[in-house]
Amino acid sequence: MNVLVTGATGFVGERLVPTLLDAGHDVSVLVRDRSTYDAPDGVDVFEGDTLQPESLAAALDGVDAAYYLIHAMGGGRGFEERDRRGARNFASAADGAGVDRVIYLSGLGVDGDDLSAHLRSRREVETLLRRGDYDLTVLRAAIIVGAGGASFRIVRQLSSRLPVMITPRWVKTRVQPIAIADVIAYLVGVLDEPETADGTFQIGGPEVLTYREILSTVGRILTGREPYIVPVPVLTPRLSAYWVDLVTDVPAGVAYPLIDGMATDVVVTDDRIRSLVPVDLTPFETAVERALEEEAADR
Ligand SMILES: NC(=O)c1ccc[n+]([C@@H]2O[C@H](COP(=O)([O-])OP(=O)(O)OC[C@H]3O[C@@H](n4cnc5c(N)ncnc54)[C@H](OP(=O)(O)O)[C@@H]3O)[C@@H](O)[C@H]2O)c1
């Protein structure tokens, strides 16, 4: 199959490309700046930007399935508007090129007033991508555990840098993290399962944990002892974002929207995908150990 991966320089996209090649697909990528992308052998590289619609047609020509692995938080404030424009442009270009399928990795969380600006924006992108005449597969995930993932980086740096944490109430929020390898297995697996072609699916790892349990486990694996965690009710999302800004090196534009989302549970409530695309799910501790090993090897 001719497959296009957007966001190929990103945390998810850069791991997806080699796995698609191994699965026998013809792979091309869309990147904003080809000098920042080290293409594996056999991959066609197209330069393009979803905010510049005229730059998309060449990359989408002859493509059967396109992965949409883009978000605009890296550009700071106003990400919602950029994500909206980008998704609209991409949907119309994919439609014009006659693409059969688009696969989008979105965020997990129950629709409602509590949804953070980040998750609302992810949902809006789903709606805009659904306007195309192709089949749209949406996979929704919570924190993805892997070296370089922004949410995991926040958790890892908090756990290792603070032996005692005065934490916001969100440490009691329940979340279902998933290993990056399992996300990639789902992303590749849906291509071979026609029943996933036009649907929205929730993906998650084998455990539901609180952020407190996540911070404790990562702290124990990293330092040999669990951090002492004291949740206080008065730390607002804005204050906790400043706090994360002080302790971690995740850029504020990315960290703030993610922290905002930590106030609501992000747990799988519908696991239909398990019977359609069987994936042997990685336990949380194993996923953390693998992420830390990969980070150490990259240093
Ligand atoms: N990481 C997680 O824990 C997590 C969890 C749930 C869902 N997701 C979803 O997974 C998808 C991928 O996330 P990620 O963690 O891989 O993100 P990431 O590492 O931040 O990568 C984002 C990618 O988007 C590209 N991009 C941004 N604006 C663009 C534009 N205007 N035109 C073309 N490309 C553009 C970036 O390219 P440049 O190199 O040019 O900046 C980069 O390759 C997103 O939809 C995200 O919401 C991620």
Side-chain angles (χ1 to χ4, degrees):
M1 205 180 283
N2 287 327
V3 179
L4 175 73
V5 179
T6 68
T9 54
F11 165 57
V12 177
E14 77 166 354
R15 289 165 170 85
L16 177 62
V17 168
T19 313
L20 286 168
L21 288 169
D22 288 346
H25 296 291
D26 290 322
V27 183
S28 52
V29 297
L30 177 92
V31 295
R32 287 194 286 190
D33 176 357
R34 68 169 71 232
S35 71
T36 62
Y37 183 65
D38 189 10
D41 285 347
V43 171
D44 286 330
V45 181
F46 293 89
E47 254 182 10
D49 185 325
T50 54
L51 299 179
Q52 292 167 6
E54 67 289 350
S55 69
L56 302 175
L60 284 160
D61 188 31
V63 163
D64 303 308
Y67 287 89
Y68 194 79
L69 301 175
I70 288 175
H71 68 78
M73 284 189 297
R77 276 172 194 273
F79 66 88
E80 296 99 326
E81 199 276 328
R82 292 191 300 279
D83 271 325
R84 189 176 302 135
R85 263 195 301 143
R88 215 178 260 141
N89 291 339
F90 187 81
S92 127
D95 227 3
V99 168
D100 295 328
R101 279 186 80 168
V102 171
I103 297 128
Y104 167 49
L105 182 59
S106 182
L108 192 60
V110 178
D111 286 331
D113 294 344
D114 287 352
L115 222 52
S116 67
H118 163 59
L119 283 176
R120 268 201 309 277
S121 166
R122 299 288 78 200
R123 290 301 148 77
E124 188 182 15
V125 169
E126 290 180 18
T127 307
L128 293 167
L129 290 178
R130 209 167 279 126
R131 288 187 183 166
D133 209 14
Y134 43 75
D135 287 332
L136 176 70
T137 305
V138 176
L139 297 179
R140 294 178 176 168
I143 289 191
I144 301 175
V145 181
S151 305
F152 180 66
R153 218 158 97 210
I154 294 175
V155 165
R156 204 248 304 139
Q157 294 182 356
L158 288 177
S159 315
S160 60
R161 293 179 182 178
L162 294 178
V164 177
M165 289 192 222
I166 308 290
T167 56
R169 262 183 306 192
W170 52 248
V171 283
K172 294 183 182 159
T173 303
R174 292 178 327 131
V175 57
Q176 196 163 348
I178 181 167
I180 182 66
D182 300 350
V183 173
I184 300 297
Y186 278 124
L187 284 168
V188 176
V190 292
L191 278 189
D192 294 325
E193 179 43 77
E195 278 196 51
T196 63
D198 209 5
T200 299
F201 301 92
Q202 304 176 8
I203 58 174
E207 297 118 312
V208 174
L209 302 164
T210 61
Y211 279 110
R212 180 188 199 132
E213 289 167 323
I214 289 177
L215 289 165
S216 298
T217 306
V218 175
R220 173 166 48 73
I221 292 173
L222 269 168
T223 66
R225 67 192 138 68
E226 294 186 359
Y228 187 63
I229 295 173
V230 189
V232 291
V234 288
L235 219 48
T236 63
R238 175 47 54 98
L239 271 177
S240 63
Y242 288 143
W243 169 72
V244 166
D245 204 19
L246 275 179
V247 181
T248 79
D249 63 12
V250 177
V254 176
Y256 288 11
L258 291 177
I259 294 290
D260 238 8
M262 288 179 174
T264 46
D265 286 354
V266 274
V267 172
V268 171
T269 55
D270 167 0
D271 66 357
R272 268 174 313 140
I273 192 77
R274 302 285 324 265
S275 54
L276 294 171
V277 182
V279 170
D280 198 7
L281 295 174
T282 311
F284 177 67
E285 290 207 23
T286 309
V288 171
E289 281 160 5
R290 286 188 187 150
L292 297 176
E293 276 164 23
E294 198 183 323
E295 273 182 3
D298 285 348
R299 250 181 249 133

